[in-house]
Amino acid sequence: MDTNHLKQQAAEYAARFIEPGMVVGLGAGSTAILAVRHIGYLLKTGALRDILGIPCSTQTEAEARALGIPLTTLENHPIIDVTIDGADEVDPQLELIKGGGGALTREKIVAQATRREIIVVDESKLVPALGTTWDVPVEVVPFGYGSQQRYLESLGASVKLRPGDGQPYRTDQGNFILDCDFGPIDDPAALGERLKQRTGIVEHGLFIGLAADVISAGAGGIQHQTRKSP
Ligand code: 5RP
């Protein structure tokens, strides 16, 4: 089965947790966009009604508007019932690396405001430890970004400035992204804390304690994992 089909299966499975009256976080990336399109389809056919979406990126916002999904903001609706978003890596504790699509800061703001964060992936994203296959994206203020690069290297990362269209990639906030290869990470929460202490680092792609559910699709079907209570 091809990866797109698996992503579609995970996206459709997740949409069943959306109910009328809910405020719904709309994630970013190719899998989350499939969920957004499915939500648009459910609204159009009348299978779902009376929801408000909060998009995690300008690209998702444009897609949701084109599909006629009613939108709101965190200012008007500070609590999100359910968010459906993708991930680049998922570990056995349901901790994540996100930000492959560059939307990590808005995605984390939305995730923090969400009661039930549902992550949709194909099974290739399941890893024994974060950092095994994917770099940790770190969003930095352009001013003095070389200083942040040296700091990240001092923590053991091999660091690349994410390229864009002939110039550095810019996030929706106008910032740069440094993709950091730390190798498999022993303690992602501790690393995340260290990154947050550095001025000039806006946000990082380690999503710790945020995913409530992970829905992964593979050759053997859908696997639905839920976070164990602490
Ligand atoms: C965007 C993200 C995406 O959710 C993540 O990169 C996964 O994307 P895809 O579903 O295309 O593999 O974090 O910032």
Side-chain angles (χ1 to χ4, degrees):
M1 209 176 291
D2 75 6
T3 306
N4 270 343
H5 192 68
L6 297 176
K7 290 177 178 185
Q8 182 74 36
Q9 282 186 341
E12 287 189 22
Y13 185 99
R16 69 178 66 175
F17 298 104
I18 301 173
E19 293 169 15
M22 282 186 166
V23 177
V24 180
L26 306 173
S30 61
T31 319
I33 284 292
L34 292 175
V36 172
R37 289 188 189 139
H38 189 62
I39 291 166
Y41 167 79
L42 294 175
L43 289 171
K44 197 172 167 193
T45 57
L48 179 63
R49 61 186 161 76
D50 189 27
I51 65 152
L52 290 170
I54 299 188
C56 288
S57 71
T58 49
Q59 197 184 356
T60 303
E61 181 176 348
E63 184 86 26
R65 285 194 191 285
L67 291 162
I69 300 174
L71 299 180
T72 184
T73 61
L74 275 171
E75 285 62 50
N76 289 330
H77 291 88
I79 296 173
I80 300 174
D81 297 294
V82 168
T83 291
I84 301 177
D85 203 350
D88 302 302
E89 281 190 343
V90 179
D91 79 5
Q93 287 71 46
L94 309 193
E95 311 302 16
L96 317 171
I97 289 180
K98 287 183 51 52
L104 60 151
T105 298
R106 293 192 190 193
E107 289 173 327
K108 201 177 282 188
I109 291 169
V110 165
Q112 287 179 157
T114 294
R115 288 200 173 105
R116 185 174 186 183
E117 175 87 2
I118 303 179
I119 298 300
V120 284
V121 291
D122 69 85
E123 65 182 354
S124 71
K125 307 289 186 67
L126 305 179
V127 294
L130 297 183
T132 304
T133 62
W134 204 268
D135 297 346
V136 179
V138 176
E139 179 166 347
V140 296
V141 172
F143 177 82
Y145 78 91
S147 164
Q148 313 327 325
Q149 174 156 0
R150 283 187 291 282
Y151 173 69
L152 292 160
E153 285 165 350
S154 79
L155 299 182
S158 154
V159 182
K160 287 189 294 287
L161 177 63
R162 188 176 293 188
D165 221 356
Q167 45 194 323
Y169 173 86
R170 295 272 185 167
T171 67
D172 281 345
Q173 291 68 243
N175 295 318
F176 291 167
I177 289 190
L178 297 173
D179 287 305
C180 301
D181 179 0
F182 284 98
I185 301 165
D186 287 340
D187 188 343
L191 176 60
E193 287 304 316
R194 285 193 82 173
L195 298 179
K196 281 302 280 183
Q197 283 164 12
R198 177 80 178 181
T199 300
I201 290 180
V202 176
E203 194 46 79
H204 58 79
L206 294 164
F207 280 50
I208 309 300
L210 290 170
D213 303 59
V214 171
I215 293 162
S216 52
I222 296 279
Q223 187 189 5
H224 183 174
Q225 302 179 74
T226 54
R227 179 174 292 278
K228 313 270 177 295
S229 320

